[in-house]
Amino acid sequence: MESLKENNKGQWIALSGLVISLIIIGLAALANQAVLAGYHSSNAALEFPKENIRELNSHTRDNAKIIKDLSIELNATSNETISSIYGRLFENYSSQMKKLYATHGETVDLSLVSINSTNGTNGTYSGHDIDMILVNITYDDGTTLYVSDPELIEVKE
């Protein structure tokens, strides 16, 4: 037993084993960080709410046509012009969309910019029919803010 205390040749083997194991642990930590960084950078594109924005845009286009038909029907039974009926119905649609998206924690703003008609003289609005509308669409989910230029929506058939 006395000879084992004096024999220190194995200390170099133990010390080099400790150094190699610490190097391997450090390399494993670096590799893990590289994998996580790659995951987060590739996942950032997936977090962009493009489907929500496309869906909002599509619903607005579809409902703009429906609102046009409703405003023409309501014009036959009221003294209001088609443009004022359309504006009121679009404002109602906008408030409903705000409430619907608010339940998901998102903010939506749809504002009617103008109503255009080619049935009037020189392309001005005649008050009898609607061909196109311009709408501002704003979407915010807390991380992504999308603000469109006025979108031109054709509502004629």
Side-chain angles (χ1 to χ4, degrees):
M1 280 302 209
E2 288 286 323
S3 63
L4 290 177
K5 286 184 181 180
E6 294 173 7
N7 189 359
N8 56 10
K9 292 180 183 176
Q11 290 178 355
W12 286 107
I13 294 173
L15 184 61
S16 54
L18 178 66
V19 169
I20 290 173
S21 65
L22 289 175
I23 289 172
I24 290 174
I25 289 172
L27 289 175
L30 286 175
N32 191 21
Q33 289 298 321
V35 168
L36 287 176
Y39 169 75
H40 287 299
S41 63
S42 66
N43 197 25
L46 298 176
E47 292 176 0
F48 184 75
K50 65 181 176 186
E51 288 302 319
N52 292 349
I53 294 169
R54 284 182 185 163
E55 183 177 297
L56 176 63
N57 198 337
S58 175
H59 281 263
T60 302
R61 288 183 182 277
D62 293 341
N63 284 309
K65 294 174 185 175
I66 294 170
I67 291 171
K68 179 213 172 202
D69 295 337
L70 282 173
S71 61
I72 290 172
E73 286 180 26
L74 289 174
N75 183 36
T77 60
S78 71
N79 291 332
E80 293 181 86
T81 63
I82 292 177
S83 63
S84 64
I85 295 171
Y86 192 92
R88 187 169 35 96
L89 290 174
F90 192 87
E91 200 57 42
N92 189 12
Y93 166 73
S94 176
S95 68
Q96 289 176 8
M97 291 304 282
K98 285 179 186 178
K99 291 175 187 174
L100 181 66
Y101 276 81
T103 59
H104 299 288
E106 300 162 342
T107 305
V108 169
D109 184 34
L110 304 169
S111 59
L112 186 62
V113 176
S114 69
I115 299 173
N116 300 321
S117 175
T118 56
N119 294 339
T121 58
N122 296 331
T124 60
Y125 181 65
S126 65
H128 300 295
D129 200 5
I130 300 171
D131 291 337
M132 296 171 281
I133 63 166
L134 288 172
V135 177
N136 283 334
I137 299 175
T138 305
Y139 172 88
D140 185 13
D141 66 350
T143 57
T144 303
L145 175 64
Y146 169 79
V147 179
S148 72
D149 292 333
E151 301 247 354
L152 180 66
I153 300 175
E154 292 188 27
V155 292
K156 63 181 178 182
E157 280 118 25

